[in-house]
């Protein structure tokens, strides 16, 4: 029984501000990423508490590959560690793990860990946790367009048959409902190439706190804010 009726079915989060959190404490940036991993567990728990079905976390963008090599390496190492350490929690919390993004760009070790955990948690049903890794909204849309164009060129698809439903079925999120609520931490008012197609009608909540400080109560407060919104979808 969801303790919070009318909870969003799908929450997407741009987990931002790890670096600034660390800098303000005189720590290296990777300490901010490490602390941010703790927020992930609390927020996933809070989502289950609120009756949310899907939580998508922006963990690494297509553009983040352009950061200094040392930071990219540290982030991939932390991701591996997160996958190894949290793997048991996912079983205990009954969480199914999915990943979207250009996963072939990830190190082979990371891909292997992801594949193993996704297979093992495929039957879990309390929450679907979607990690956006090496993810870019434009890249995802281009890839969907390319797949439709290939079918059209092969003569198996009439261009006139392409509509929004068919287009969405070629996105990596085809089996996932669109986010109802988009949260960005650290106060930045931008989307940074996240889920461009899917957030068309998402309610947006910007939180000033840095991601490592965003915990259970902050998630619940964002859900309450969502519940106060009046979604109109272009109608009255
Ligand atoms: C978010 O924190 C995590 C990633 C983008 C990987 P940042 O690393 O962007 O931290 P800030 O925004 O520089 O503080
Ligand atoms: C967005 O944060 C990407 C992730 C949270 C993974 P960034 O820190 O990369 O975005 P910008 O550079 O502030 O737009
Ligand atoms: Mg940032």
């Amino acid at each position: 029984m969801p303790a919070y009726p009318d909870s969003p079915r799908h929450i997407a989060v741009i987990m931002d501000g790890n670096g600034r959190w660390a800098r303000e404490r005189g720590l290296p940036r990777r300490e901010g990423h490490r602390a941010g991993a703790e927020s992930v567990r609390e927020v996933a728990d809070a989502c289950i508490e609120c009756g949310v079905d899907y939580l998508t976390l922006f963990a690494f963008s297509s553009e983040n590959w352009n950061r200094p090599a040392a930071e990219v390496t540290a982030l991939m190492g932390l991701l591996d560690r997160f996958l190894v350490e949290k793997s048991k929690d996912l079983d205990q919390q009954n969480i199914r793990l999915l990943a979207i993004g250009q996963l072939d760009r990830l190190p082979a070790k990371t891909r292997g860990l992801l594949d193993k955990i996704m297979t093992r948690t495929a039957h879990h049903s309390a929450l679907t946790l979607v990690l956006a890794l090496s993810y870019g909204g434009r890249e995802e849309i281009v890839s969907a367009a390319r797949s439709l164009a290939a079918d059209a060129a092969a003569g198996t698809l009439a261009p006139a048959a392409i509509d929004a439903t068919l287009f969405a079925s070629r996105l990596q999120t085809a089996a996932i409902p669109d986010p109802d609520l988009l949260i960005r931490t650290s106060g930045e008012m931008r989307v940074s190439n996240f889920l461009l197609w899917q957030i068309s009608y998402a309610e947006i909540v910007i939180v000033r706190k840095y991601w490592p400080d965003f915990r259970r109560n902050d998630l619940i407060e964002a859900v309450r804010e969502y519940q106060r919104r009046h979604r109109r979808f272009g109608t009255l």
Side-chain angles (χ1 to χ4, degrees):
M1 52 101 229
Y4 303 88
D6 309 320
S7 280
R9 184 166 182 221
H10 181 178
I11 299 181
V13 186
I14 302 175
M15 310 184 290
D16 198 18
N18 294 353
R20 280 163 283 172
W21 182 93
R23 196 183 57 211
E24 286 185 6
R25 286 161 180 75
L27 297 168
R29 289 178 61 86
R30 70 166 185 283
E31 291 304 319
H33 299 310
R34 202 191 305 274
E38 287 308 309
S39 295
V40 169
R41 194 199 147 94
E42 266 198 38
V43 166
D45 264 340
C47 282
I48 294 172
E49 193 184 326
C50 293
V52 170
D53 292 331
Y54 295 85
L55 171 65
T56 299
L57 299 176
F58 202 7
F60 193 86
S61 75
S62 310
E63 291 75 21
N64 290 152
W65 289 114
N66 301 323
R67 292 190 180 190
E71 174 152 355
V72 171
T73 306
L75 278 165
M76 291 301 146
L78 276 170
L79 176 58
D80 289 351
R81 225 178 78 179
F82 174 84
L83 291 172
V84 170
E85 286 177 4
K86 304 287 163 183
S87 148
K88 281 215 179 63
D89 294 343
L90 297 177
D91 287 332
Q92 274 165 14
Q93 295 169 289
N94 194 19
I95 295 175
R96 169 170 76 134
L97 186 77
L98 295 179
I100 56 170
Q102 295 178 313
L103 304 181
D104 54 343
R105 294 184 73 186
L106 296 173
K109 184 182 172 201
T110 311
R111 274 201 324 267
L113 283 168
L114 276 172
D115 283 342
K116 212 170 77 188
I117 299 175
M118 288 193 288
T119 306
R120 221 196 48 234
T121 62
H123 64 284
H124 289 171
S125 56
L127 175 75
T128 297
L129 173 63
V130 186
L131 292 183
L133 296 165
S134 187
Y135 176 86
R138 286 185 171 178
E139 289 76 359
E140 186 189 26
I141 289 169
V142 166
S143 163
R146 195 182 295 123
S147 116
L148 292 166
D151 286 358
T156 56
L157 174 67
I162 300 173
D163 59 11
T165 305
L166 182 65
F167 198 95
S169 77
R170 300 293 174 101
L171 297 170
Q172 286 188 291
T173 52
I176 301 170
D178 286 345
D180 303 293
L181 170 61
L182 172 69
I183 300 172
R184 182 168 186 148
T185 56
S186 93
E188 308 293 353
M189 304 275 185
R190 55 180 175 260
V191 172
S192 301
N193 202 16
F194 189 42
L195 297 176
L196 298 180
W197 172 283
Q198 297 88 341
I199 60 172
S200 295
Y201 270 100
E203 294 295 324
I204 301 176
V205 170
I206 307 280
V207 179
R208 291 190 69 87
K209 278 187 182 178
Y210 298 137
W211 174 250
D213 289 327
F214 188 92
R215 296 295 167 110
R216 173 184 175 276
N217 290 345
D218 303 294
L219 188 281
I220 289 170
E221 186 42 50
V223 167
R224 293 223 165 96
E225 164 72 29
Y226 168 85
Q227 289 166 334
R228 287 193 289 270
R229 302 277 177 91
H230 177 210
R231 300 183 81 184
R232 287 202 291 270
F233 298 100
T235 67
L236 292 179

